[in-house]
Amino acid sequence: MEYLADIERLFADPRNQYVTWNGGYDLPRVKNQIEVRGVNHDAMLAWHVLNSALEKKLGFVAPFYAKDARLWKH
């Protein structure tokens, strides 16, 4: 709750751009709680365009980009 005011301020600015993963699922749920303006870039869709033969699940894609991260999905 201590960060909610900052999060609301960031999402309310129409000049901001943000990246989601599967935003079609998450954004409606976020919009039910706070105002969301600005431009959304869905990284899952971009991944699918570039790698259409591979899975789109975040647990599959994350190790390609976060090589030093611990196993966070399991």
Side-chain angles (χ1 to χ4, degrees):
M1 291 304 292
E2 66 183 286
Y3 302 110
L4 187 57
D6 292 326
I7 292 169
E8 288 175 332
R9 181 182 48 78
L10 290 171
F11 274 125
D13 190 341
R15 297 170 297 169
N16 285 344
Q17 299 185 36
Y18 49 93
V19 178
T20 61
W21 191 269
N22 197 8
Y25 177 82
D26 292 328
L27 275 179
R29 286 153 180 78
V30 173
K31 288 179 179 181
N32 282 337
Q33 303 297 318
I34 61 174
E35 179 183 23
V36 177
R37 299 172 68 196
V39 179
N40 172 44
H41 302 282
D42 194 329
M44 185 181 77
L45 296 178
W47 169 266
H48 185 59
V49 168
L50 294 173
N51 302 289
S52 58
L54 298 177
E55 292 185 37
K56 296 185 284 188
K57 296 184 286 188
L58 186 57
F60 177 82
V61 178
F64 286 95
Y65 297 100
K67 299 200 183 294
D68 296 333
R70 297 183 352 215
L71 290 176
W72 57 272
K73 182 70 177 174
H74 301 286

Coordinates of all heavy atoms in Angstrom, one line a residue:
M1 N 0.8 -1.2 0.0 CA 0.0 0.0 0.0 C 0.9 1.3 0.0 O 0.4 2.3 -0.5 CB -0.9 0.0 1.2 CG -2.0 -1.1 1.1 SD -3.1 -0.9 -0.4 CE -3.9 0.6 -0.1
E2 N 2.1 1.2 0.5 CA 2.9 2.4 0.6 C 3.3 2.9 -0.8 O 3.7 4.0 -0.9 CB 4.1 2.1 1.5 CG 5.1 1.1 0.9 CD 6.3 0.9 1.8 OE1 7.1 1.7 2.0 OE2 6.3 -0.2 2.5
Y3 N 3.3 2.0 -1.8 CA 3.7 2.4 -3.2 C 2.5 2.7 -4.1 O 2.7 3.2 -5.2 CB 4.5 1.3 -3.8 CG 5.7 1.0 -3.0 CD1 5.8 -0.3 -2.4 CD2 6.8 1.9 -2.9 CE1 7.0 -0.6 -1.6 CE2 7.9 1.5 -2.2 CZ 8.0 0.3 -1.6 OH 9.1 0.0 -0.8
L4 N 1.3 2.5 -3.6 CA 0.1 2.7 -4.4 C 0.0 4.1 -5.0 O -0.4 4.2 -6.2 CB -1.2 2.3 -3.7 CG -2.4 2.2 -4.5 CD1 -2.3 1.3 -5.7 CD2 -3.6 1.8 -3.6
A5 N 0.2 5.1 -4.3 CA 0.1 6.5 -4.8 C 1.1 6.7 -6.0 O 0.7 7.3 -7.0 CB 0.3 7.5 -3.7
D6 N 2.3 6.2 -5.9 CA 3.3 6.3 -6.9 C 2.9 5.5 -8.2 O 3.0 6.0 -9.3 CB 4.7 5.9 -6.5 CG 5.2 6.8 -5.4 OD1 5.0 8.0 -5.5 OD2 5.9 6.3 -4.5
I7 N 2.3 4.3 -7.9 CA 1.9 3.5 -9.0 C 0.7 4.2 -9.8 O 0.7 4.2 -11.0 CB 1.5 2.1 -8.5 CG1 2.7 1.3 -8.1 CG2 0.8 1.3 -9.6 CD1 2.5 0.1 -7.3
E8 N -0.2 4.7 -9.0 CA -1.4 5.4 -9.6 C -0.9 6.6 -10.4 O -1.4 6.9 -11.5 CB -2.3 5.8 -8.6 CG -3.1 4.7 -8.0 CD -4.0 5.1 -6.8 OE1 -3.7 6.1 -6.1 OE2 -5.0 4.4 -6.6
R9 N 0.1 7.3 -9.9 CA 0.6 8.5 -10.6 C 1.3 8.1 -11.9 O 1.0 8.7 -13.0 CB 1.6 9.3 -9.7 CG 2.2 10.5 -10.4 CD 3.2 11.2 -9.4 NE 4.2 10.3 -8.9 CZ 5.2 9.8 -9.5 NH1 5.5 10.2 -10.8 NH2 6.1 9.0 -8.9
L10 N 2.0 7.0 -11.9 CA 2.7 6.6 -13.1 C 1.7 6.1 -14.2 O 1.9 6.4 -15.4 CB 3.7 5.5 -12.8 CG 4.9 5.9 -12.0 CD1 5.7 4.7 -11.5 CD2 5.8 6.9 -12.8
F11 N 0.7 5.3 -13.8 CA -0.2 4.8 -14.7 C -1.2 5.9 -15.3 O -1.8 5.7 -16.3 CB -1.0 3.7 -14.1 CG -0.4 2.3 -14.3 CD1 -0.2 1.6 -13.1 CD2 0.0 1.8 -15.5 CE1 0.4 0.3 -13.2 CE2 0.6 0.6 -15.6 CZ 0.8 -0.2 -14.5
A12 N -1.4 7.0 -14.5 CA -2.3 8.0 -14.9 C -1.8 8.9 -16.0 O -2.5 9.6 -16.7 CB -2.8 8.8 -13.7
D13 N -0.5 9.0 -16.2 CA 0.1 9.9 -17.1 C 0.0 9.3 -18.5 O 0.6 8.3 -18.8 CB 1.6 10.1 -16.7 CG 2.3 11.3 -17.5 OD1 1.7 11.6 -18.6 OD2 3.3 11.8 -17.1
P14 N -0.7 10.0 -19.4 CA -0.9 9.5 -20.8 C 0.4 9.5 -21.6 O 0.5 8.9 -22.7 CB -1.9 10.4 -21.4 CG -1.8 11.7 -20.6 CD -1.4 11.3 -19.2
R15 N 1.5 10.2 -21.2 CA 2.7 10.2 -21.9 C 3.6 9.0 -21.7 O 4.5 8.7 -22.4 CB 3.5 11.5 -21.5 CG 2.8 12.8 -21.9 CD 3.5 14.0 -21.3 NE 3.5 13.8 -19.8 CZ 4.2 14.6 -19.0 NH1 5.0 15.5 -19.5 NH2 4.0 14.4 -17.7
N16 N 3.3 8.3 -20.6 CA 4.1 7.1 -20.2 C 3.9 5.9 -21.2 O 2.8 5.8 -21.7 CB 3.8 6.7 -18.8 CG 4.5 7.6 -17.8 OD1 5.3 8.4 -18.1 ND2 4.0 7.6 -16.6
Q17 N 4.9 5.2 -21.3 CA 4.8 3.9 -22.0 C 5.3 2.8 -21.1 O 6.2 3.0 -20.3 CB 5.8 3.9 -23.3 CG 5.4 5.0 -24.2 CD 6.2 5.0 -25.5 OE1 6.6 3.9 -26.0 NE2 6.5 6.1 -26.0
Y18 N 4.6 1.7 -21.2 CA 5.0 0.6 -20.3 C 4.9 -0.7 -21.0 O 4.3 -0.9 -22.0 CB 4.1 0.6 -19.0 CG 2.6 0.7 -19.3 CD1 1.8 -0.4 -19.4 CD2 2.0 1.9 -19.5 CE1 0.5 -0.3 -19.7 CE2 0.7 2.0 -19.8 CZ -0.1 0.9 -19.9 OH -1.4 1.0 -20.2
V19 N 5.6 -1.7 -20.5 CA 5.7 -3.0 -21.1 C 5.0 -4.0 -20.2 O 5.2 -4.0 -18.9 CB 7.1 -3.5 -21.3 CG1 7.2 -4.9 -21.9 CG2 7.9 -2.5 -22.2
T20 N 4.1 -4.8 -20.7 CA 3.5 -5.9 -20.0 C 3.8 -7.2 -20.6 O 4.3 -7.3 -21.7 CB 1.9 -5.7 -20.0 OG1 1.5 -5.8 -21.4 CG2 1.5 -4.4 -19.4
W21 N 3.5 -8.3 -19.9 CA 3.6 -9.6 -20.5 C 2.2 -10.2 -20.4 O 1.6 -10.3 -19.3 CB 4.6 -10.5 -19.7 CG 4.9 -11.8 -20.4 CD1 4.2 -13.0 -20.3 CD2 5.8 -12.0 -21.4 NE1 4.7 -13.9 -21.1 CE2 5.7 -13.3 -21.9 CE3 6.8 -11.2 -22.0 CZ2 6.5 -13.9 -22.8 CZ3 7.6 -11.7 -23.0 CH2 7.5 -13.0 -23.4
N22 N 1.6 -10.5 -21.5 CA 0.2 -10.9 -21.6 C -0.7 -9.8 -21.0 O -1.6 -10.1 -20.2 CB 0.0 -12.2 -20.8 CG -1.3 -12.9 -21.2 OD1 -2.0 -12.5 -22.1 ND2 -1.6 -14.0 -20.5
G23 N -0.5 -8.6 -21.5 CA -1.3 -7.5 -21.0 C -2.8 -7.6 -21.3 O -3.6 -7.1 -20.6
G24 N -3.2 -8.4 -22.3 CA -4.6 -8.7 -22.5 C -5.3 -9.4 -21.3 O -6.5 -9.2 -21.1
Y25 N -4.5 -10.1 -20.5 CA -5.0 -10.7 -19.3 C -4.9 -9.8 -18.1 O -5.9 -9.6 -17.4 CB -4.3 -12.0 -19.1 CG -4.7 -12.7 -17.8 CD1 -5.9 -13.5 -17.8 CD2 -4.0 -12.6 -16.6 CE1 -6.3 -14.2 -16.6 CE2 -4.5 -13.2 -15.5 CZ -5.6 -14.0 -15.5 OH -6.0 -14.6 -14.3
D26 N -3.8 -9.2 -18.0 CA -3.5 -8.4 -16.7 C -4.1 -7.0 -16.7 O -4.6 -6.6 -15.7 CB -2.0 -8.3 -16.5 CG -1.4 -9.6 -16.2 OD1 -2.0 -10.5 -15.5 OD2 -0.2 -9.9 -16.5
L27 N -4.1 -6.3 -17.9 CA -4.5 -4.9 -17.9 C -6.0 -4.8 -17.5 O -6.3 -3.8 -16.7 CB -4.3 -4.3 -19.2 CG -2.9 -3.7 -19.4 CD1 -2.7 -3.2 -20.8 CD2 -2.5 -2.7 -18.4
P28 N -6.9 -5.6 -17.9 CA -8.3 -5.4 -17.4 C -8.4 -5.5 -15.9 O -9.2 -4.8 -15.3 CB -9.1 -6.5 -18.1 CG -8.3 -6.8 -19.3 CD -6.9 -6.6 -18.9
R29 N -7.6 -6.3 -15.3 CA -7.6 -6.5 -13.9 C -7.0 -5.3 -13.1 O -7.5 -4.8 -12.1 CB -6.9 -7.8 -13.4 CG -7.8 -9.0 -13.8 CD -6.9 -10.2 -14.0 NE -7.7 -11.4 -14.4 CZ -8.3 -11.6 -15.6 NH1 -8.1 -10.7 -16.5 NH2 -9.1 -12.6 -15.8
V30 N -6.0 -4.7 -13.7 CA -5.4 -3.5 -13.1 C -6.3 -2.4 -13.3 O -6.5 -1.6 -12.4 CB -4.0 -3.2 -13.8 CG1 -3.4 -1.9 -13.3 CG2 -3.0 -4.4 -13.5
K31 N -7.0 -2.3 -14.5 CA -7.9 -1.1 -14.8 C -9.1 -1.2 -13.9 O -9.7 -0.1 -13.7 CB -8.3 -1.2 -16.2 CG -7.2 -0.7 -17.2 CD -7.6 -0.8 -18.6 CE -6.5 -0.3 -19.6 NZ -6.9 -0.4 -21.0
N32 N -9.4 -2.3 -13.3 CA -10.5 -2.4 -12.4 C -10.2 -1.7 -11.0 O -11.1 -1.3 -10.3 CB -10.9 -3.8 -12.1 CG -11.8 -4.4 -13.2 OD1 -12.4 -3.7 -13.9 ND2 -11.8 -5.7 -13.3
Q33 N -8.9 -1.5 -10.8 CA -8.4 -1.0 -9.5 C -7.9 0.5 -9.6 O -8.2 1.3 -8.7 CB -7.3 -1.8 -8.9 CG -7.7 -3.3 -8.8 CD -8.8 -3.5 -7.8 OE1 -8.8 -2.8 -6.7 NE2 -9.7 -4.3 -8.1
I34 N -7.3 0.8 -10.8 CA -6.7 2.1 -10.9 C -6.9 2.6 -12.4 O -7.1 1.7 -13.3 CB -5.2 2.2 -10.5 CG1 -4.4 1.3 -11.4 CG2 -5.0 2.0 -9.0 CD1 -2.9 1.4 -11.1
E35 N -6.8 3.9 -12.6 CA -6.8 4.4 -14.0 C -5.5 4.1 -14.7 O -4.4 4.3 -14.1 CB -7.0 5.9 -13.9 CG -7.1 6.5 -15.3 CD -7.2 8.0 -15.3 OE1 -6.8 8.6 -14.2 OE2 -7.6 8.6 -16.3
V36 N -5.6 3.5 -15.9 CA -4.4 3.2 -16.7 C -4.5 4.0 -18.0 O -5.4 3.8 -18.8 CB -4.3 1.7 -17.0 CG1 -3.1 1.4 -17.8 CG2 -4.2 0.9 -15.7
R37 N -3.5 4.9 -18.2 CA -3.4 5.6 -19.5 C -2.0 5.4 -20.0 O -1.2 4.7 -19.4 CB -3.7 7.1 -19.2 CG -5.1 7.3 -18.7 CD -5.4 8.7 -18.2 NE -5.4 9.6 -19.4 CZ -5.3 10.9 -19.3 NH1 -5.2 11.5 -18.1 NH2 -5.3 11.7 -20.3
G38 N -1.7 5.9 -21.1 CA -0.4 5.7 -21.7 C -0.5 4.6 -22.8 O -1.5 4.1 -23.1
V39 N 0.7 4.3 -23.2 CA 0.8 3.3 -24.3 C 1.4 2.0 -23.7 O 2.4 2.0 -23.0 CB 1.8 3.8 -25.4 CG1 2.0 2.8 -26.5 CG2 1.3 5.1 -25.9
N40 N 0.7 0.9 -24.0 CA 1.1 -0.4 -23.5 C 1.8 -1.2 -24.7 O 1.3 -1.2 -25.8 CB -0.1 -1.3 -23.1 CG 0.2 -2.7 -22.8 OD1 1.3 -3.0 -22.2 ND2 -0.6 -3.6 -23.2
H41 N 2.9 -1.8 -24.4 CA 3.7 -2.6 -25.3 C 3.7 -4.0 -24.7 O 4.2 -4.2 -23.7 CB 5.1 -2.1 -25.5 CG 5.2 -0.7 -26.0 ND1 4.9 -0.4 -27.3 CD2 5.4 0.4 -25.3 CE1 5.1 0.9 -27.5 NE2 5.4 1.5 -26.3
D42 N 3.0 -4.9 -25.4 CA 2.9 -6.3 -24.9 C 4.1 -7.1 -25.4 O 4.2 -7.5 -26.5 CB 1.6 -7.0 -25.3 CG 1.3 -8.2 -24.5 OD1 2.2 -8.9 -24.1 OD2 0.1 -8.5 -24.3
A43 N 5.0 -7.4 -24.5 CA 6.2 -8.1 -24.8 C 5.9 -9.6 -25.3 O 6.7 -10.1 -26.1 CB 7.2 -8.1 -23.7
M44 N 4.9 -10.2 -24.7 CA 4.5 -11.5 -25.1 C 4.2 -11.6 -26.6 O 4.6 -12.5 -27.3 CB 3.4 -12.1 -24.3 CG 3.1 -13.5 -24.6 SD 1.7 -14.2 -23.7 CE 0.3 -13.4 -24.6
L45 N 3.4 -10.6 -27.1 CA 3.1 -10.5 -28.5 C 4.3 -10.3 -29.4 O 4.5 -10.9 -30.4 CB 2.0 -9.4 -28.8 CG 0.7 -9.7 -28.1 CD1 -0.2 -8.5 -28.4 CD2 0.1 -11.0 -28.6
A46 N 5.2 -9.4 -28.9 CA 6.5 -9.2 -29.7 C 7.3 -10.5 -29.7 O 7.9 -10.8 -30.8 CB 7.3 -8.1 -29.0
W47 N 7.4 -11.2 -28.6 CA 8.1 -12.5 -28.6 C 7.5 -13.4 -29.6 O 8.2 -14.1 -30.3 CB 8.1 -13.1 -27.2 CG 8.6 -14.5 -27.1 CD1 7.8 -15.6 -27.1 CD2 10.0 -14.9 -27.0 NE1 8.6 -16.7 -27.0 CE2 9.9 -16.3 -27.0 CE3 11.2 -14.2 -26.9 CZ2 11.1 -17.1 -26.9 CZ3 12.3 -15.0 -26.8 CH2 12.3 -16.4 -26.8
H48 N 6.2 -13.5 -29.6 CA 5.5 -14.5 -30.5 C 5.8 -14.1 -31.9 O 5.9 -15.0 -32.8 CB 4.0 -14.5 -30.2 CG 3.3 -15.5 -31.0 ND1 3.6 -16.8 -30.9 CD2 2.3 -15.4 -31.8 CE1 2.8 -17.5 -31.7 NE2 2.0 -16.6 -32.3
V49 N 5.8 -12.8 -32.3 CA 6.1 -12.4 -33.7 C 7.5 -12.9 -34.0 O 7.8 -13.4 -35.1 CB 5.9 -10.9 -33.8 CG1 6.5 -10.4 -35.2 CG2 4.5 -10.5 -33.7
L50 N 8.5 -12.6 -33.1 CA 9.9 -13.0 -33.4 C 10.2 -14.5 -33.3 O 11.1 -15.0 -34.0 CB 10.8 -12.2 -32.4 CG 10.8 -10.7 -32.6 CD1 11.6 -10.1 -31.5 CD2 11.3 -10.3 -33.9
N51 N 9.5 -15.2 -32.5 CA 9.7 -16.6 -32.2 C 8.4 -17.4 -32.2 O 8.1 -18.0 -31.2 CB 10.4 -16.8 -30.9 CG 11.7 -16.0 -30.8 OD1 12.7 -16.3 -31.4 ND2 11.7 -14.9 -30.0
S52 N 7.8 -17.4 -33.4 CA 6.4 -18.0 -33.4 C 6.4 -19.5 -33.2 O 5.3 -20.0 -32.8 CB 5.7 -17.6 -34.7 OG 6.5 -18.1 -35.8
A53 N 7.5 -20.1 -33.3 CA 7.5 -21.6 -33.1 C 7.8 -22.0 -31.6 O 7.6 -23.1 -31.3 CB 8.6 -22.3 -34.0
L54 N 8.1 -21.0 -30.8 CA 8.4 -21.2 -29.4 C 7.2 -20.9 -28.5 O 6.3 -20.1 -28.9 CB 9.6 -20.4 -29.0 CG 10.9 -20.8 -29.7 CD1 12.0 -19.9 -29.3 CD2 11.3 -22.2 -29.6
E55 N 7.3 -21.4 -27.3 CA 6.2 -21.1 -26.3 C 6.2 -19.6 -25.9 O 7.2 -19.0 -26.0 CB 6.4 -21.9 -25.0 CG 6.3 -23.4 -25.2 CD 6.4 -24.1 -23.9 OE1 5.9 -23.6 -22.9 OE2 6.9 -25.2 -23.9
K56 N 5.1 -19.1 -25.5 CA 4.9 -17.7 -25.1 C 4.9 -17.6 -23.6 O 4.9 -16.4 -23.1 CB 3.6 -17.1 -25.6 CG 3.6 -17.1 -27.2 CD 2.3 -16.4 -27.6 CE 1.2 -17.3 -27.5 NZ -0.1 -16.8 -28.1
K57 N 4.9 -18.7 -22.8 CA 4.8 -18.6 -21.4 C 6.1 -17.8 -20.8 O 7.2 -18.1 -21.2 CB 4.7 -19.9 -20.7 CG 3.4 -20.7 -21.1 CD 3.3 -22.0 -20.4 CE 4.3 -23.0 -21.0 NZ 4.1 -24.3 -20.5
L58 N 5.8 -17.0 -19.8 CA 6.9 -16.2 -19.2 C 8.0 -17.1 -18.6 O 9.2 -16.8 -18.7 CB 6.3 -15.2 -18.2 CG 7.3 -14.3 -17.5 CD1 8.0 -13.4 -18.6 CD2 6.6 -13.4 -16.6
G59 N 7.6 -18.2 -18.0 CA 8.5 -19.1 -17.4 C 9.4 -19.8 -18.5 O 10.6 -20.1 -18.1
F60 N 9.0 -19.8 -19.7 CA 9.8 -20.4 -20.8 C 10.8 -19.3 -21.3 O 11.9 -19.5 -21.6 CB 8.9 -20.9 -21.9 CG 9.7 -21.4 -23.1 CD1 10.2 -22.7 -23.1 CD2 9.9 -20.6 -24.2 CE1 11.0 -23.1 -24.2 CE2 10.6 -21.0 -25.3 CZ 11.2 -22.3 -25.3
V61 N 10.3 -18.0 -21.4 CA 11.0 -17.0 -22.1 C 12.0 -16.3 -21.1 O 13.1 -15.9 -21.5 CB 10.0 -15.9 -22.6 CG1 10.8 -14.7 -23.2 CG2 9.1 -16.5 -23.6
A62 N 11.7 -16.2 -19.9 CA 12.5 -15.4 -18.9 C 14.0 -15.9 -18.9 O 14.9 -15.1 -18.8 CB 11.9 -15.5 -17.5
P63 N 14.3 -17.2 -18.9 CA 15.7 -17.6 -18.9 C 16.5 -17.1 -20.0 O 17.8 -17.1 -19.9 CB 15.6 -19.2 -18.9 CG 14.3 -19.5 -18.3 CD 13.4 -18.4 -18.8
F64 N 15.9 -16.8 -21.1 CA 16.7 -16.2 -22.3 C 17.3 -14.9 -21.9 O 18.3 -14.5 -22.5 CB 15.8 -16.1 -23.5 CG 15.5 -17.4 -24.2 CD1 14.3 -18.1 -23.9 CD2 16.3 -18.0 -25.1 CE1 14.0 -19.3 -24.5 CE2 16.0 -19.2 -25.7 CZ 14.9 -19.8 -25.4
Y65 N 16.6 -14.1 -21.1 CA 17.0 -12.7 -20.8 C 17.5 -12.5 -19.4 O 18.2 -11.6 -19.2 CB 15.8 -11.8 -21.1 CG 15.4 -11.9 -22.5 CD1 14.3 -12.6 -22.9 CD2 16.1 -11.2 -23.5 CE1 13.9 -12.7 -24.2 CE2 15.8 -11.3 -24.8 CZ 14.7 -12.0 -25.2 OH 14.3 -12.1 -26.5
A66 N 17.2 -13.4 -18.4 CA 17.6 -13.2 -17.1 C 18.5 -14.4 -16.7 O 18.1 -15.3 -15.9 CB 16.4 -13.1 -16.1
K67 N 19.6 -14.5 -17.3 CA 20.5 -15.7 -17.1 C 21.0 -15.9 -15.7 O 21.3 -17.0 -15.3 CB 21.6 -15.6 -18.1 CG 21.1 -15.6 -19.6 CD 22.2 -16.0 -20.5 CE 21.8 -15.9 -21.9 NZ 20.7 -16.8 -22.3
D68 N 21.1 -14.8 -14.9 CA 21.6 -14.9 -13.6 C 20.6 -15.1 -12.5 O 20.8 -15.2 -11.3 CB 22.5 -13.7 -13.2 CG 23.7 -13.6 -14.1 OD1 24.2 -14.6 -14.6 OD2 24.2 -12.5 -14.3
A69 N 19.3 -15.0 -12.9 CA 18.2 -15.1 -12.0 C 18.1 -16.6 -11.5 O 18.3 -17.5 -12.2 CB 16.9 -14.7 -12.6
R70 N 17.6 -16.6 -10.2 CA 17.3 -17.9 -9.6 C 16.0 -18.5 -10.2 O 15.3 -17.7 -10.9 CB 17.2 -17.8 -8.1 CG 18.5 -17.4 -7.5 CD 18.4 -17.3 -6.0 NE 17.1 -17.5 -5.4 CZ 16.6 -16.9 -4.3 NH1 17.3 -16.1 -3.7 NH2 15.4 -17.2 -3.9
L71 N 15.7 -19.7 -10.0 CA 14.5 -20.3 -10.5 C 13.3 -19.6 -9.8 O 13.1 -19.9 -8.6 CB 14.5 -21.8 -10.3 CG 15.4 -22.6 -11.2 CD1 15.3 -24.1 -10.8 CD2 15.0 -22.4 -12.6
W72 N 12.6 -18.7 -10.4 CA 11.6 -18.0 -9.7 C 10.2 -18.6 -10.1 O 9.3 -18.3 -9.4 CB 11.6 -16.5 -10.2 CG 11.5 -16.4 -11.7 CD1 12.5 -16.4 -12.6 CD2 10.3 -16.3 -12.5 NE1 12.0 -16.3 -13.8 CE2 10.7 -16.2 -13.8 CE3 8.9 -16.2 -12.1 CZ2 9.7 -16.1 -14.8 CZ3 8.0 -16.1 -13.2 CH2 8.4 -16.0 -14.5
K73 N 10.1 -19.4 -11.1 CA 8.8 -19.9 -11.5 C 8.4 -21.1 -10.8 O 7.3 -21.5 -10.8 CB 8.9 -20.1 -13.1 CG 7.6 -20.5 -13.7 CD 6.6 -19.5 -13.7 CE 5.4 -19.9 -14.4 NZ 4.3 -19.0 -14.4
H74 N 9.4 -21.9 -10.3 CA 9.0 -23.2 -9.7 C 8.9 -23.2 -8.2 O 9.6 -22.7 -7.5 CB 10.2 -24.2 -10.1 CG 10.3 -24.3 -11.6 ND1 9.4 -24.9 -12.4 CD2 11.2 -23.7 -12.4 CE1 9.8 -24.8 -13.7 NE2 10.9 -24.1 -13.7

